[in-house]
Amino acid sequence: MKAVHVGAGNIGRGFIGLLLHEAGYELVFADVADALITRLQEADSYQVRTVGQHPTTTVVDGFTAINSSQDPDVLAAQIAEADVVTTAVGAHILRFVAPDIAAGIAARPATSPRLAVMACENAINATDLLEQEIRANYSGDDLEDKALFSNTAVDRIVPVQAEDAGLDVTVEDFSEWAVERGPFDGQEPDVPGITWVDDLGPYIERKLFTVNTGHATTAWHGWRAGHARIAEAIADPSVAQQVEAVLGETSALLVAKHGFTADDMAAYRTKVLARFANEALPDPVERVGRAPLRKLSRHDRIIGPAAELAERGLGCEGLLACFAAALAFTPDGDEEADRLQEILRGQDADAATEEITGLDASHPLFAAARERVAARQRTL
């Protein structure tokens, strides 16, 4: 069995690549980062170290690596004979990797089993986005015969690595990789690290609106309180209170929308907060809070659940306080944070609110979001 994983960064090596290796796949990494690919090509192995209550060290070996920008034909040939293709590149990069994957699918023999394509990104239904881009780059009429596309939800905290780590990766000891089983028609690959589910939507939103929402909330409130790391921030009672308020609101939405029980959500929140408090993960608040414009966009981790709560007539004051904290997040070197401040300085409150949140002025959340925008503008 062969798996091609596109995106050889820390998540690729320390999460998806690790699980595919442990499942017995011949692993092929592809990336455009020349120095990284060269190191992988020269290395016999690397280590993945988990930290937390159950620390382990796993050696990953037997892999190959391809520079997809320099050797696209080699990558297409590998995909043509693979069983699985996964990605961990960032949802906004999928359109750039789609042509290579499309070329590999087109080169597959007609007698080959269908290639399983799974985008393992921090976004809702990322595989749908990848499939759309692959279709746009595929000239034949046999795509359905050669490939299947299955959405996934992935969850593992991979912190900033030590400067001397090389290819080795340190990750938390918790991980979850949920994959929708429907597209496989009962022929799911044997990957022990995968949780197969019939309906992925609730799992995606539970993770996004708890882990990602909570992580960002901890980062933005923690940064404003002067904390450097996530574990340090969540240990601050004032920050923890803000995070717990936000997760109480998102849990209420998930119970109402997807039928999770209140007890299930309480247990899930407790587990998530314990992960944030893991002192062995030196995760800077600036890293977790970066790219605020994307994280404040209409269907992402803050405005997304807040909008749905407002539509249902449910409270979202904690999420609005998080929104306000994000508007005041101004670390050095974050282009999106700089752009956010330009919007706040250069537009009136109505226009700025619409651009930042994607909300229409008629939306029930708009007025409250506008109040926070206007309040931030008065400090500039």
Side-chain angles (χ1 to χ4, degrees):
M1 299 182 297
K2 177 181 289 188
V4 175
H5 179 78
V6 183
N10 294 331
I11 294 174
R13 301 194 313 280
F15 184 10
I16 306 303
L18 169 66
L19 294 184
L20 291 170
H21 169 78
E22 290 182 327
Y25 281 82
E26 175 189 345
L27 185 58
V28 180
F29 285 112
D31 207 297
V32 297
D34 185 57
L36 173 60
I37 289 299
T38 298
R39 288 201 301 271
L40 284 166
Q41 290 172 339
E42 294 175 348
D44 295 324
S45 64
Y46 65 87
Q47 293 185 349
V48 179
R49 184 171 69 99
T50 66
V51 292
Q53 294 182 339
H54 307 288
T56 62
T57 299
T58 303
V59 175
V60 178
D61 56 13
F63 54 81
T64 56
I66 300 169
N67 188 316
S68 51
S69 64
Q70 296 179 7
D71 300 305
D73 292 341
V74 175
L75 175 57
Q78 291 284 359
I79 293 173
E81 58 185 39
D83 301 280
V84 172
V85 167
T86 53
T87 73
V89 295
H92 61 296
I93 302 297
L94 291 174
R95 63 191 179 97
F96 297 109
V97 306
D100 289 335
I101 298 175
I105 295 172
R108 293 176 69 81
T111 55
S112 294
R114 289 189 298 167
L115 176 71
V117 180
M118 297 175 283
C120 305
E121 311 293 346
N122 199 11
I124 295 175
N125 294 335
T127 305
D128 289 347
L129 300 176
L130 178 58
E131 180 182 1
Q132 179 180 342
E133 296 294 339
I134 289 174
R135 288 186 179 279
N137 287 276
Y138 196 84
S139 57
D141 58 2
D142 58 351
L143 182 61
E144 286 78 8
D145 297 327
K146 291 188 172 185
L148 64 88
F149 300 88
S150 183
N151 282 303
T152 79
V154 292
D155 187 5
R156 169 165 263 179
I157 295 174
V158 181
V160 173
Q161 304 295 302
E163 291 185 3
D164 61 351
L167 294 173
D168 296 342
V169 190
T170 297
V171 299
E172 69 167 326
D173 58 357
F174 173 89
S175 69
E176 182 176 65
W177 184 9
V179 181
E180 59 182 357
R181 68 168 77 246
F184 290 89
D185 294 329
Q187 301 296 315
E188 300 93 342
D190 183 15
V191 181
I194 290 179
T195 298
W196 296 99
V197 299
D198 294 319
D199 183 4
L200 191 65
Y203 288 85
I204 292 176
E205 290 204 337
R206 185 183 67 167
K207 187 262 180 177
L208 180 64
F209 293 164
T210 311
V211 179
N212 296 99
T213 300
H215 222 194
T217 303
T218 306
W220 292 326
H221 282 295
W223 186 86
R224 189 162 63 177
H227 299 299
R229 298 183 299 112
I230 291 295
E232 175 188 330
I234 202 66
D236 181 337
S238 65
V239 174
Q241 183 178 22
Q242 295 280 4
V243 177
E244 289 167 1
V246 162
L247 297 189
E249 292 169 0
T250 58
S251 290
L253 173 63
L254 292 163
V255 168
K257 183 176 181 180
H258 294 303
F260 292 110
T261 69
D263 288 345
D264 285 344
M265 287 310 307
Y268 188 68
R269 291 197 305 274
T270 298
K271 182 184 295 185
V272 167
L273 291 170
R275 294 167 62 194
F276 294 169
N278 188 343
E279 288 283 354
L281 293 173
D283 224 358
V285 296
E286 289 190 9
R287 186 197 75 84
V288 177
R290 69 188 175 192
L293 277 177
R294 173 174 61 85
K295 292 171 182 175
L296 295 177
S297 60
R298 176 63 180 85
H299 297 290
D300 211 280
R301 65 207 70 191
I302 307 301
I303 299 301
E308 291 197 53
L309 286 163
E311 290 164 5
R312 293 170 180 266
L314 299 174
C316 57
E317 286 300 313
L319 285 160
L320 286 166
C322 174
F323 176 63
L327 296 177
F329 179 69
T330 56
D332 294 333
D334 187 324
E335 293 182 3
E336 285 198 17
D338 293 342
R339 174 57 186 154
L340 175 56
Q341 300 310 305
E342 290 175 5
I343 294 169
L344 291 167
R345 289 189 178 93
Q347 301 183 24
D348 63 33
D350 287 326
T353 302
E354 185 171 348
E355 180 167 351
I356 294 166
T357 67
L359 293 168
D360 184 86
S362 63
H363 193 278
L365 183 66
F366 185 89
R370 183 194 181 282
E371 287 181 15
R372 275 68 181 180
V373 168
R376 172 60 181 164
Q377 289 176 320
R378 288 193 291 269
T379 70
L380 297 175

